[in-house]
């Protein structure tokens, strides 16, 4: 018997019977709830998005109005009839639409360019019914020279607090790249005094680019340059260090 | 019960065992595996009308694996060995030795590498499909398979470890 056959055989030999404990009632109930949320997201073209949730069930998230003090002056441009990204993973097609609300705080320019457009990240207000302490999500978008924003992917927590110390959700772009929408670099945010964030992928360490959120400097937005880490490639690990190199 | 629901029940009963075992191979933890399999089935049911006539099992498998790989921030590095294996067949000591040997090998790999090994050698998927489902290169799949084999050779087989057979 070859070693591969040994491995295959061992994987099957250690199977345990899983007979009657399958709770189909709960599974189907939760599945219906999830389906309803997805429908709600699909139907609410004016105000709803679905988020990519790493490791959790995708939950409908409603755009919420940010505090007036955080709202920048309204811009004139609008895109009538356009729809927001409404599926998980996010729809790959162009989703140039005017968000109902503006970014909270300053828009972060990554320095990544697609022609004249910039890759930008910005915090947006979200309303998660199951997570009352989750009020913001992180949006990956693009900005035209005229300042018009295109939303690509939003990530946010679905429970707990959006300011919990440590790493929050990581945004991966799983869609097929197209001319209409360039791939979104892997991104996320960390809450705490991080000055360096290093991811590991395929045994290789990759430094993230960092920027602090203007509204709350404890919130550190990070992203991986697509040259260093191909968008969509999963990280095997990630760590944050403070100014003295201490692991956070 | 609607026809679609009846079909899903049949599907869930037939698929849950393998999904749970695959999750166990990736995590080494029965409770986490059970949760992951349940999550995969919930999401599969939520999309049932769309996928029931396609590859529902493939959909559930992909959801399961991505769910676990995405959960790398909560890796399970400890593999409990104090729970007795089911005594459905063979010798208990034999099962324990095989399981320890297997978990030793898998435990030395990263979450993504474990996913590759499970998709490749438990689900028997072609390398190209593994690469596609995990969003990694074909080379990564090949090299990970080689690494698992090296570990396997270094660890020896249950028969050569002196605890079984």
């Amino acid at each position: 018997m070859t070693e591969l056959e040994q491995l295959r055989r061992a994987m099957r030999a250690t199977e345990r019977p899983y007979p009657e404990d399958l709770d189909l009632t709960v599974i189907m109930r939760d599945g219906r709830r999830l389906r309803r949320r997805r429908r709600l997201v699909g139907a609410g073209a004016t105000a709803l998005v679905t988020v990519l949730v790493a490791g959790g069930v995708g939950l409908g998230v409603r755009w919420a109005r940010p505090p007036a003090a955080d709202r920048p002056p309204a811009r004139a441009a609008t895109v009538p009839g356009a729809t927001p990204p409404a599926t998980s993973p996010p729809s790959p097609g162009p989703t140039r639409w005017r968000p109902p609300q503006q970014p909270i705080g300053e828009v972060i320019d990554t320095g990544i360019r697609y022609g004249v457009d910039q890759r930008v990240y910005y915090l947006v207000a979200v309303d998660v019914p199951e997570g009352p302490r989750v009020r913001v999500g992180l949006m990956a978008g693009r900005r035209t020279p005229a300042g018009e924003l295109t939303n690509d992917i939003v990530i946010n927590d679905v429970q707990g607090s959006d300011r919990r110390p440590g790493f929050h959700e990581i945004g991966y772009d799983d869609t097929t790249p197209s001319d209409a929408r360039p791939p979104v670099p892997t991104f996320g945010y960390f809450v705490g005094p991080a000055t360096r964030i290093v991811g590991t992928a395929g045994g290789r360490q990759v430094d993230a680019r960092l920027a602090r959120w203007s509204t709350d400097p404890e919130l550190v937005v990070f992203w991986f340059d697509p040259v260093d880490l191909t968008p969509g490639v999963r990280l095997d690990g990630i760590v944050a260090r403070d100014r003295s190199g201490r692991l956070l | 019960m609607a026809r679609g629901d009846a079909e899903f029940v049949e599907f869930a009963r037939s698929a849950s065992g393998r999904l749970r075992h695959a999750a166990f191979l990736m995590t080494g933890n029965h409770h986490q595996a059970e949760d992951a399999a349940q999550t995969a089935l919930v999401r599969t049911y939520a999309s049932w009308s769309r996928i029931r006539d396609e590859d529902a099992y493939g959909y559930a498998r992909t959801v399961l694996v991505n769910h676990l790989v995405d959960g790398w921030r909560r890796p399970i590095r400890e593999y409990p060995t104090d729970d007795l294996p089911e005594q459905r067949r063979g010798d208990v000591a034999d099962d324990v030795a095989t399981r320890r040997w297997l978990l030793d090998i898998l435990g030395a790999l990263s979450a993504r590498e474990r996913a590759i090994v499970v998709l490749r050698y438990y689900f028997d998927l072609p390398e190209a499909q593994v690469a596609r489902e995990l969003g990694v290169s074909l080379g990564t799949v090949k090299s990970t398979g080689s690494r698992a084999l090296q570990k396997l050779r270094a660890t020896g087989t249950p028969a050569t470890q002196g605890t079984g057979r």
Side-chain angles (χ1 to χ4, degrees), chain A residues 3-4 8 10-17 21 28 35 38 55-57 167-168 202 234-236 238, chain B residues 12 17 20-21 30 43 45-47 67 70 72-73 88-89 99 101 112 117 121-122 124 152-153:
Chain A
E3 285 142 337
L4 264 182
R8 284 193 170 98
M11 286 183 170
R12 284 163 180 72
T14 52
E15 278 183 357
R16 298 182 1 157
D21 62 339
M28 293 170 77
R35 194 184 302 156
R38 286 177 179 170
V57 174
F167 285 103
H168 290 250
R234 259 50 182 180
L235 292 166
D236 299 322
I238 192 167
Chain B
R20 273 201 250 188
H21 187 60
H30 285 298
R43 294 190 196 182
Y45 181 62
S47 302
H67 171 68
D70 286 345
W72 57 263
R73 281 187 288 145
R88 62 191 171 114
R89 64 185 178 310
R99 180 175 301 183
W101 172 78
R112 191 176 64 174
V117 168
Y121 301 121
Y122 179 62
D124 282 328
L152 189 151
R153 289 185 185 115

Side-chain angles (χ1 to χ4, degrees), chain B residues 18-86:
Chain B
R18 291 205 85 199
L19 291 173
R20 273 201 250 188
H21 187 60
F24 172 70
L25 293 173
M26 289 176 64
T27 63
N29 182 294
H30 285 298
H31 297 295
Q32 196 179 7
E34 192 172 326
D35 287 347
Q38 179 148 331
T39 296
L41 288 173
V42 166
R43 294 190 196 182
T44 301
Y45 181 62
S47 302
W48 189 246
S49 60
R50 179 167 55 86
I51 62 172
R52 62 196 250 202
D53 295 329
E54 299 173 12
D55 182 10
Y57 185 65
Y59 182 89
R61 182 189 63 229
T62 303
V63 169
L64 176 89
V65 173
N66 285 330
H67 171 68
L68 288 171
V69 171
D70 286 345
W72 57 263
R73 281 187 288 145
R74 298 172 294 279
I76 300 298
R77 294 289 183 199
E78 296 175 6
Y79 294 93
T81 55
D82 55 347
D83 54 337
L84 287 175
E86 301 294 327

Side-chain angles (χ1 to χ4, degrees), chain B residues 136-165:
Chain B
V136 300
S137 69
L138 191 58
T140 300
V141 174
K142 288 177 185 291
S143 61
T144 303
S146 299
R147 189 177 158 196
L149 274 180
Q150 285 170 3
K151 176 69 182 169
L152 189 151
R153 289 185 185 115
T155 308
T157 64
T160 61
Q161 284 188 320
T163 48
R165 290 170 227 258

